[in-house]
Amino acid sequence: MGNSLIFLYGPPGSGKSSLGLALAQQLNRVFIDLDERIETFVGCSIIDIFNIQGEAAFRAIEKSVLKTVIQESSHAVIALGGGALLTEENRITVQAAGKVLCLTASYETLLSRLSVAKQKRPLLVDTPEESLRTLLKTRHQHYQSFTPLKIDGLDHSQLLENAQRHLGLFHVSGMGTGYDILISPGLLHQVGEICLEKDLKGPIVVVSDTNVAAHYRELLLDGLHRSGYQTSFVELPPGEQYKNIDTLQSLWQAFLEVGLERNSTVLALGGGVISDLAGFAAATFKRGVSWIVCPTTLLAMVDAGLGGKTGIDLPQGKNLIGAFHAPQLVIVDPDCLDTLPDEEVRNGMGEVIKHGIIDDPALFNLCRGNWQEQLTKIVIAAMAVKINIICQDPLEKDRRAVLNLGHTVGHALEVASGFQLKHGEAIGVGLLAETKIAEQIGVAYTQELSASICEVLFHIGLPTRIPAEIDLDEVIQLIQQDKKRAGGVVRFALPLEIGKAEIGYQVDPSLVHKVLTQLQTKHILKEKGIR
Ligand code: ADP
Ligand code: ZN
C-alpha cells in the first residue's frame, strides 16, 4: 500500500475539491482536480462531454486521464469525480496508488450545497432534487464500502482535522521542510515501502532496546530488506538510566563502525528513551543525519516521539542536554501496544488525559469509558492535540508551553519520589494538583473540575494522591528551581475546563503547598462522596 497519493471521493456536493485543496495545503502536497484535468485534456466542459459523447465515453476518458495523473504524480491530493470508482478497475488502480478518503453527507446537506454551485454536475442538471435522490440510492452501498467520513455539521476546520484523523496522516510544518506523521495499525510491516516513497537513503541504522527488539526486530528488518535497504541494528539496554553520555558515545561509535554517512538514515524503534537517544545521536553525528521515529510506547506515541525534541540526562537532572532535530518521518503502529506491559500503557494514559484536558473533551470522555478497547482512536486523538500545538509553535516560544500542564508539579513529584513515581503517574497527580490550584484562584470555571479528573485517573488505575513518604517542602523547592531556569518566575499552565487550558499563571508557593498537603492527606473522591 502506498501512502503517497490521497484520493478524495464521494457524491456530488460533498466538498471533495474544497477539502482537497485545504488538505493539500495542510499536508504540503500538490492538489489535482481530476475533472479539471479531463476538461483540459478534451478541451471542453464535463457537461459538454456528457451531452455530446454520452456517459460511457466520459467514463473511458476518465479512466485514461486517471491513469496518467497517477503515473505522473507523487505526494498529491487528488479530487475524483463522484462516479470515478464505480468500476472495479479504477478502484483497484487507485487503492494501489494511495489512500481513498470518501466523504458522505445527508441528502439535505448535499442538495443545499448543490443549489449554491450549479455548474459541472452533469447527472444533476435538469431535476436536481430527483436526480440526487436516485443517485444516492443507487450508489449508497458503493460509497459505504469506502468507510466514509460523514461531513454533516462539521465546519471547515473540524472537517480538515477529521479528514487527517480518518487518513491517519498529519504534517508538522514550521520545522525545516516539515515532516509527515503516519498512524495506522500494521504500519510496522510497511516501513520499508514508506521509506522508499519518501526517498530516504540507506543504509538504515535501526536503534532499539533489547525488549522492543525481541518483539519487532525481525518484522522491521524483513520489511526494510524487502524494499532493498541495507541495514544494521543497534540494541541498547532498556531504561532511562541508560539515557546518558556513555550510551550516546556507544551510539556514535556504532554509527562510525557501520559507516553511517551524512545522507543515510537512523531509525529509532522504541519508547521515549530510545527516540531521545537515537534522535540526539542523529542530531550530532557528522553535524546531523536524517532520522525517523517508530514509537512503540503509548507515552512516546502521544508525546516524546512527536515534535523533534531529542536529548540525554545528566546526573544533575533529566533532559539537560539536547537539541531540536526534526525527524523526516514519524510512523506510529498502535498494534505495538499489544506487547507493551500494562503499567507502561497506564503510564502513557497520564499524558493522554492531559491532552484531553488541554484541547479535546471527546478524548477525555474516551478515557472514562472502555479505554483499553479504544486505544487506536485514543492514540490518534491524543496525537492530534499535540500536533496542532506543535504546528502553532514549533520551537516552544509560547503556546507550546500549554503542553506543560500537570508538569510543573508533576516533574517535581517525579524527582522527589526518587523516580518511584513513573512519569505518567506523576503527571496524573500533577494534573490534579494544578487543577485544584486553578479552582482555588478562580481560574477554573467550576469547582468540580478536579473531581472529574480524579475519577478518570482512578478509572485508569493511576494514582490520585501524593504518596505519604514524599517530602512536600522538597517538592516546593524543586518547583522553585524550575523558576531559576525560567528567568525568575514559575509560570503554570492551568486548566479552565475540560478542553481548555491557558498558560502564564503565577502561583503563590504557599498555595501550592496547601494544595499538595490536601492531596497527600485527603482523598478528593471520598471528600466528594464519590467513592
Ligand atoms: P517511555 O520513555 O516512552 O516511557 P521507555 O523507552 O523507557 O519508554 O520504555 C519503557 C519500557 O517498555 C522499556 O522497558 C521498553 O523496553 C519497553 N517497551 C517499549 N515498547 C515496547 C513494546 N511495544 N512492547 C514491549 N515492551 C516495550
Ligand atoms: Zn510528559
Side-chain angles (χ1 to χ4, degrees):
M1 180 215 63
N3 271 292
S4 91
L5 298 180
I6 294 164
F7 298 93
L8 287 186
Y9 191 49
S14 56
K16 302 177 288 279
S17 304
S18 56
L19 177 62
L21 193 58
L23 202 54
Q25 273 169 1
Q26 178 78 23
L27 298 175
N28 195 28
R29 289 162 183 244
V30 280
F31 174 67
I32 296 168
D33 188 316
L34 191 70
D35 280 354
E36 272 174 20
R37 287 293 176 96
I38 294 171
E39 290 181 331
T40 313
F41 176 76
V42 181
C44 68
S45 72
I46 302 278
I47 299 240
D48 285 344
I49 305 176
F50 265 77
N51 287 343
I52 299 163
Q53 307 186 35
E55 183 172 355
F58 171 79
R59 295 288 172 214
I61 301 167
E62 185 180 49
K63 181 167 90 179
S64 116
V65 175
L66 176 63
K67 283 216 163 107
T68 313
V69 165
I70 289 177
Q71 264 162 17
E72 290 172 354
S73 324
S74 69
H75 297 93
V77 176
I78 303 172
L80 301 169
L85 304 184
L86 285 166
T87 64
E88 195 57 19
E89 188 182 346
N90 282 358
R91 183 174 185 149
I92 291 169
T93 310
V94 156
Q95 286 181 331
K99 286 189 165 185
V100 179
L101 175 63
C102 180
L103 307 174
T104 55
S106 66
Y107 169 77
E108 290 73 23
T109 305
L110 292 173
L111 192 66
S112 71
R113 289 175 167 226
L114 286 171
S115 51
V116 181
K118 282 209 175 69
Q119 82 295 13
K120 287 207 306 188
R121 313 285 180 184
L123 295 174
L124 306 173
V125 193
D126 298 329
T127 50
E129 290 86 0
E130 260 319 294
S131 315
L132 179 65
R133 205 183 287 282
T134 317
L135 183 145
L136 287 182
K137 223 181 200 163
T138 45
R139 291 189 191 164
H140 175 75
Q141 286 218 320
H142 172 64
Y143 289 135
Q144 285 304 316
S145 70
F146 291 92
T147 9
L149 170 63
K150 274 204 98 161
I151 64 161
D152 300 281
L154 298 178
D155 67 25
H156 178 77
S157 72
Q158 290 167 328
L159 183 56
L160 190 57
E161 164 101 30
N162 282 342
Q164 292 169 79
R165 292 188 190 202
H166 211 79
L167 287 162
L169 175 61
F170 295 86
H171 184 80
V172 173
S173 50
M175 277 185 120
T177 55
Y179 54 96
D180 281 353
I181 299 176
L182 277 49
I183 318 157
S184 173
L187 272 190
L188 214 52
H189 293 268
Q190 297 163 20
V191 171
E193 282 123 301
I194 297 168
C195 288
L196 274 187
E197 264 161 24
K198 293 279 168 201
D199 216 13
L200 290 173
K201 301 284 182 289
I204 294 182
V205 181
V206 183
V207 179
S208 192
D209 71 32
T210 47
N211 293 336
V212 178
H215 292 290
Y216 302 109
R217 180 185 165 122
E218 297 317 317
L219 180 78
L220 184 75
L221 288 182
D222 279 354
L224 289 171
H225 295 157
R226 224 176 29 237
S227 299
Y229 283 104
Q230 274 184 23
T231 61
S232 44
F233 201 102
V234 185
E235 280 185 37
L236 303 175
E240 178 89 24
Q241 69 271 34
Y242 294 103
K243 208 175 100 181
N244 57 28
I245 186 77
D246 294 336
T247 314
L248 181 66
Q249 185 145 19
S250 74
L251 268 179
W252 287 329
Q253 193 66 39
F255 290 175
L256 279 176
E257 278 162 19
V258 301
L260 190 73
E261 288 301 328
R262 279 213 57 188
N263 55 3
S264 13
T265 304
V266 172
L267 189 159
L269 172 72
V273 172
I274 290 299
S275 60
D276 278 357
L277 263 170
F280 191 50
T284 44
F285 190 75
K286 298 199 174 172
R287 298 199 187 87
V289 296
S290 302
W291 73 301
I292 64 181
V293 199
C294 302
T296 62
T297 64
L298 181 57
L299 194 66
M301 289 177 187
V302 304
D303 195 16
L306 307 173
K309 280 196 197 177
T310 70
I312 56 168
D313 302 337
L314 288 184
Q316 291 82 352
K318 284 171 72 171
N319 299 320
L320 289 181
I321 306 297
F324 279 104
H325 185 47
Q328 301 289 104
L329 191 62
V330 180
I331 301 174
V332 175
D333 182 347
D335 283 352
C336 291
L337 300 177
D338 291 349
T339 56
L340 189 68
D342 284 349
E343 64 160 343
E344 291 295 342
V345 177
R346 282 197 298 275
N347 187 31
M349 287 301 285
E351 213 79 50
V352 168
I353 293 169
K354 180 197 82 179
H355 288 181
I357 298 171
I358 291 175
D359 204 21
D360 190 348
L363 171 60
F364 189 80
N365 278 333
L366 277 175
C367 300
R368 292 154 79 138
N370 207 340
W371 59 278
Q372 281 108 329
E373 250 112 83
Q374 304 275 343
L375 271 182
T376 296
K377 220 170 161 184
I378 285 178
V379 167
I380 294 177
M383 288 175 67
V385 170
K386 173 139 183 182
I387 293 164
N388 267 334
I389 294 168
I390 299 171
C391 287
Q392 291 165 31
D393 180 19
L395 294 179
E396 206 166 339
K397 296 222 160 62
D398 42 60
R399 179 65 190 163
R400 194 161 164 180
V402 78
L403 291 167
N404 280 335
L405 188 72
H407 282 62
T408 308
V409 173
H411 262 155
L413 287 172
E414 196 182 354
V415 176
S417 76
F419 296 94
Q420 290 305 301
L421 281 176
K422 290 174 98 58
H423 183 71
E425 296 175 339
I427 297 317
V429 185
L431 285 171
L432 267 188
E434 293 178 12
T435 306
K436 280 178 96 49
I437 290 170
E439 288 171 355
Q440 295 188 20
I441 64 175
V443 161
Y445 295 166
T446 73
Q447 297 295 309
E448 305 305 315
L449 200 55
S450 59
S452 61
I453 293 171
C454 192
E455 271 205 273
V456 175
L457 293 171
F458 185 82
H459 174 66
I460 305 281
L462 284 165
T464 54
R465 305 178 67 167
I466 298 177
E469 58 277 14
I470 288 186
D471 176 358
L472 297 186
D473 291 330
E474 190 190 344
V475 177
I476 298 288
Q477 226 173 27
L478 285 161
I479 294 175
Q480 297 305 312
Q481 277 175 17
D482 260 2
K483 176 170 156 176
K484 267 191 264 160
R485 273 177 234 142
V489 264
V490 193
R491 294 191 188 278
F492 283 70
L494 293 178
L496 313 194
E497 62 179 334
I498 300 301
K500 192 164 182 199
E502 294 293 347
I503 55 176
Y505 296 99
Q506 289 186 51
V507 181
D508 191 338
S510 66
L511 174 61
V512 181
H513 201 287
K514 182 178 142 204
V515 164
L516 294 178
T517 311
Q518 288 168 354
L519 279 175
Q520 197 168 40
T521 52
K522 297 183 194 158
H523 199 284
I524 295 184
L525 295 180
K526 275 206 189 110
E527 241 173 78
K528 299 261 176 193
I530 298 174
R531 300 267 171 211

